């Protein structure tokens, strides 16, 4: 992509209202633009990151056997009256009335819609287990939207819903999602921690939140050091057995972890999984015939990931004082190619044409060298190929690793070979 033909409105100054680094950088690097409190337009560069995060999630969800669908944003209030949540949900729900005076709402979550979907079609234990997911915009009228996309009012979530005939089946589904979540977050370069959590208004009795450690996080986590040692194994039962809890779930009286092994850190919640049995299937009458011919309510679980929040969380985890440092797996482009002067345009063009244009953001604009360098550092692409004076006579370019700052001189052909995936 040629920068001269792209739309990348970056900001030099830090916006005064943005308190935390991910919020500042996501505005300054031209990822998002706020249009109202907690509501954002995704600009082209930010959208590329969002889509890449979606792709990773989709890939691992599909591998787990879950099936993608797409449920609507706008939901009828009647479904929520059936489940009994309509009055309880409170002011976070954006309530709408249509022209027929029907009560509607902009979905803050989709348990009711998912339950309604399968109750008419799934009749037998033979159709189970079933896990459906979608990636869809939610609206929650948060009291204090803040921190940019980390706590928006409109935000993108991946949410999945599992249906099983009994508790054992539901536990398998739950554990499979636990494992899938570890895989998803690791692929993004993150180190997730799964902590036992309160089940809150969604209800039920088994729940884990996934966090990344960050001092700008809004939750407090208490956990045994051993968690991270065991993460590599992806052994869900062992991971679940380690003491790791969020916020008020911590009880010093029952916590048996020796003091020196117990860590307390701030965390950003990036995902949350629940098992809640028949909380929805019972009032909404979603039942199947079991193996022994009985009519039983389905056992359900739900599994959320904050897709848009992840963009902020990843920036919180990977940045320096110059800007973002994207992990390669989620970077909007892999390479930033910088043309420093018109005299080397031929060389820079040659490199651009040799590489896959979808992987390269080519700064072919006219402008000062300083602006070009600081903009490229700010947007944080993992690699920079810098084409300067030496490209003219010696055929040499500089290749910079954004994360380490290491710069290597290379022959143009060598650089092309190094980055060629064509
Ligand atoms: P929080 O405690 O941060 O308000 P939650 O527990 O209310 O989140 P869940 O219902 O568990 O949220 O939603 C699943 C996931 O959606 C969360 O783990 C989080 O990553 C994301 N999420 C929730 N609320 C927001 C929001 N306002 N903005 C962006 N992402 C959000
Ligand atoms: Mg949660």
């Amino acid at each position: 992509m040629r920068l001269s033909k792209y739309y990348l409105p970056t900001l030099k100054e830090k916006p005064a209202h943005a308190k935390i680094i991910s919020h500042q950088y996501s505005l300054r690097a031209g990822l998002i633009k706020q249009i109202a409190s907690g509501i954002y337009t995704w600009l082209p560069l930010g959208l590329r990151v969002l889509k890449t995060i979606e792709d990773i999630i989709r890939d691992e969800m599909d591998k787990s056997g879950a099936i993608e669908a797409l449920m609507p944003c706008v939901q009828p209030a009647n479904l929520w009256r059936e489940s009994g949540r309509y009055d309880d949900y409170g002011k976070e729900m954006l309530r709408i009335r249509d022209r027929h005076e029907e009560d509607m709402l902009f979905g803050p979550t989709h348990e009711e819609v998912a339950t309604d979907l399968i109750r008419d079609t799934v009749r037998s234990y033979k159709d189970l287990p079933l896990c459906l997911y979608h990636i869809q915009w939610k609206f929650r009228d948060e009291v204090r939207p803040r921190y940019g996309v980390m706590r928006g009012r409109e935000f993108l979530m991946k949410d999945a819903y599992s249906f099983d005939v009994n508790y054992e089946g539901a536990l398998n589904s739950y554990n499979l999602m636990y494992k899938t979540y570890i895989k998803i977050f690791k692929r993004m370069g993150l180190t997730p921690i799964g902590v036992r959590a309160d089940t809150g208004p969604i209800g039920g009795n088994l729940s884990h939140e996934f966090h990344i450690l960050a001092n700008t996080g809004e939750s407090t986590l208490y956990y045994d050091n051993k968690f991270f040692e065991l993460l590599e194994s992806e052994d869900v039962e062992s991971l679940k057995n380690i003491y790791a809890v969020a916020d008020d779930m911590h009880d010093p009286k029952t916590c048996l972890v020796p003091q020196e092994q117990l860590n307390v850190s701030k965390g950003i919640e990036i995902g949350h999984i629940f098992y809640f049995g028949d909380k929805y299937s019972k009032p909404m009458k979603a039942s199947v015939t079991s193996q022994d011919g009985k009519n039983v309510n389905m056992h359900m679980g739900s599994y959320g990931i904050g897709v848009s929040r992840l963009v902020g969380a990843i920036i919180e985890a990977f940045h320096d004082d110059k800007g973002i440092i994207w992990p390669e797996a989620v970077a909007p482009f892999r390479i930033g190619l910088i043309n420093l002067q018109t005299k080397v345009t031929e060389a820079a063009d040659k490199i651009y044409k040799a590489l896959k244009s979808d992987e390269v953001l080519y700064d072919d604009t006219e402008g000062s060298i300083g602006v070009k360098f600081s903009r490229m550092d700010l947007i944080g692409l993992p690699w920079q190929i810098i084409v300067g004076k030496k490209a003219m006579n010696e055929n040499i370019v500089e290749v910079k690793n954004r994360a380490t700052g290491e710069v290597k001189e290379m022959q143009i052909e060598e650089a092309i070979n190094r980055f060629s995936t064509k």
Side-chain angles (χ1 to χ4, degrees):
M1 176 62 66
R2 283 178 181 270
L3 187 56
S4 61
K5 299 207 160 60
Y6 202 49
Y7 178 63
L8 180 64
T10 52
L11 304 173
K12 237 200 236 136
E13 304 298 330
K14 134 177 151 193
H17 65 283
K19 288 211 177 61
I20 65 169
I21 207 82
S22 60
H23 190 189
Q24 294 164 8
Y25 283 158
S26 52
L27 293 167
R28 285 190 53 208
L31 305 183
I32 54 166
K33 182 176 189 300
Q34 181 175 313
I35 61 156
S37 170
I39 305 181
Y40 296 87
T41 291
W42 287 83
L43 303 177
L45 197 70
L47 184 64
R48 289 180 71 96
V49 180
L50 196 68
K51 291 282 173 202
T52 309
I53 290 174
E54 271 188 34
D55 289 344
I56 292 175
I57 295 173
R58 188 173 281 118
D59 187 51
E60 291 296 334
M61 289 300 292
D62 290 348
K63 277 187 195 151
S64 81
I67 309 165
E68 188 172 11
L70 184 59
M71 295 177 260
C73 296
V74 177
Q75 308 177 13
N78 275 341
L79 281 183
W80 288 65
R81 294 199 175 99
E82 249 190 276
S83 73
R85 276 210 292 185
Y86 188 63
D87 294 326
D88 297 345
Y89 210 89
K91 288 195 167 172
E92 278 200 4
M93 181 184 276
L94 181 64
R95 295 161 206 258
I96 314 165
R97 186 159 288 171
D98 71 11
R99 67 199 299 164
H100 307 292
E101 301 293 313
E102 288 293 333
D103 290 328
M104 311 294 281
L105 57 102
F106 197 113
T109 179
H110 281 73
E111 278 79 8
E112 282 79 359
V113 179
T115 310
D116 175 64
L117 176 66
I118 52 89
R119 66 175 162 183
D120 299 325
T121 48
V122 174
R123 293 265 178 247
S124 158
Y125 72 95
K126 290 181 195 150
D127 302 325
L128 304 179
L130 176 66
C131 185
L132 294 169
Y133 76 96
H134 72 163
I135 298 176
Q136 179 63 291
W137 294 93
K138 310 287 187 225
F139 195 96
R140 293 183 186 174
D141 208 349
E142 300 270 353
V143 198
R144 279 209 296 162
R146 57 179 181 164
Y147 297 165
V149 295
M150 294 248 272
R151 183 168 299 285
R153 291 197 294 168
E154 187 179 279
F155 62 96
L156 190 60
M157 198 199 283
K158 183 288 297 176
D159 39 324
Y161 302 89
S162 69
F163 306 92
D164 281 274
V165 69
N166 54 29
Y167 176 73
E168 290 69 39
L171 195 61
N172 280 339
S173 299
Y174 185 91
N175 287 346
L176 179 60
M177 276 303 125
Y178 189 114
K179 192 167 183 154
T180 302
Y181 274 35
I182 299 272
K183 286 185 198 291
I184 288 171
F185 298 132
K186 276 197 195 163
R187 262 182 74 175
M188 295 173 189
L190 298 168
T191 306
I193 177 165
V195 299
R196 248 186 312 120
D198 198 3
T199 46
I202 292 194
N205 52 22
L206 177 58
S207 169
H208 285 85
E209 289 173 1
F210 291 84
H211 287 253
I212 57 161
L213 303 183
N215 41 28
T216 45
E218 294 185 274
S219 318
T220 307
L221 314 179
Y222 301 81
Y223 62 95
D224 186 332
N225 278 335
K226 286 217 187 84
F227 188 92
F228 292 117
E229 286 167 31
L230 264 176
L231 193 60
E232 221 34 58
S233 74
E234 292 178 14
D235 177 28
V236 174
E237 281 309 329
S238 327
L239 287 169
K240 276 163 61 183
N241 277 328
I242 297 178
Y243 189 86
V245 296
D247 295 314
D248 43 5
M249 291 287 283
H250 178 59
D251 180 358
K253 280 187 230 112
T254 57
C255 171
L256 298 174
V257 184
Q259 197 59 38
E260 65 280 6
Q261 216 171 292
L262 183 73
N263 283 356
V264 185
S265 307
K266 290 284 177 192
I268 300 170
E269 182 188 323
I270 50 177
H272 199 162
I273 61 179
F274 297 89
Y275 162 71
F276 42 71
D278 64 359
K279 184 177 156 73
Y280 302 93
S281 57
K282 193 174 169 191
M284 294 184 71
K285 300 192 175 56
S287 60
V288 286
T289 315
S290 69
Q291 205 149 9
D292 44 16
K294 288 195 189 118
N295 198 39
V296 294
N297 294 323
M298 285 187 241
H299 288 245
M300 289 176 57
S302 77
Y303 315 88
I305 291 183
V307 182
S308 48
R309 177 178 287 183
L310 271 165
V311 176
I314 291 170
I315 298 173
E316 286 297 320
F318 302 102
H319 67 266
D320 62 14
D321 57 354
K322 297 193 183 72
I324 304 166
I325 305 174
W326 292 114
E328 213 156 317
V330 298
F333 294 92
R334 191 159 71 102
I335 303 154
L337 174 65
I338 311 177
N339 178 351
L340 288 185
Q341 42 180 285
T342 40
K343 285 184 187 147
V344 297
T345 299
E346 206 180 308
D349 279 0
K350 179 180 163 189
I351 297 171
Y352 180 62
K353 282 183 191 134
L355 300 176
K356 238 195 204 155
S357 61
D358 195 45
E359 293 190 349
V360 184
L361 185 63
Y362 175 20
D363 187 345
D364 60 342
T365 62
E366 306 197 342
S368 81
I369 290 178
V371 167
K372 290 188 174 202
F373 279 142
S374 53
R375 178 170 51 212
M376 204 52 94
D377 279 348
L378 174 65
I379 67 171
L381 309 181
W383 297 98
Q384 296 176 10
I385 303 177
I386 302 157
V387 189
K389 228 179 15 214
K390 279 193 177 174
M392 260 184 312
N393 314 319
E394 298 167 68
N395 256 337
I396 284 177
V397 293
E398 287 183 344
V399 171
K400 176 171 147 183
N401 179 314
R402 175 67 182 86
T404 62
E406 193 191 349
V407 178
K408 249 194 200 158
E409 288 197 340
M410 279 188 198
Q411 288 289 316
I412 289 179
E413 287 308 323
E414 191 188 349
I416 290 174
N417 284 338
R418 162 74 181 74
F419 292 106
S420 183
T421 48
K422 263 187 185 172

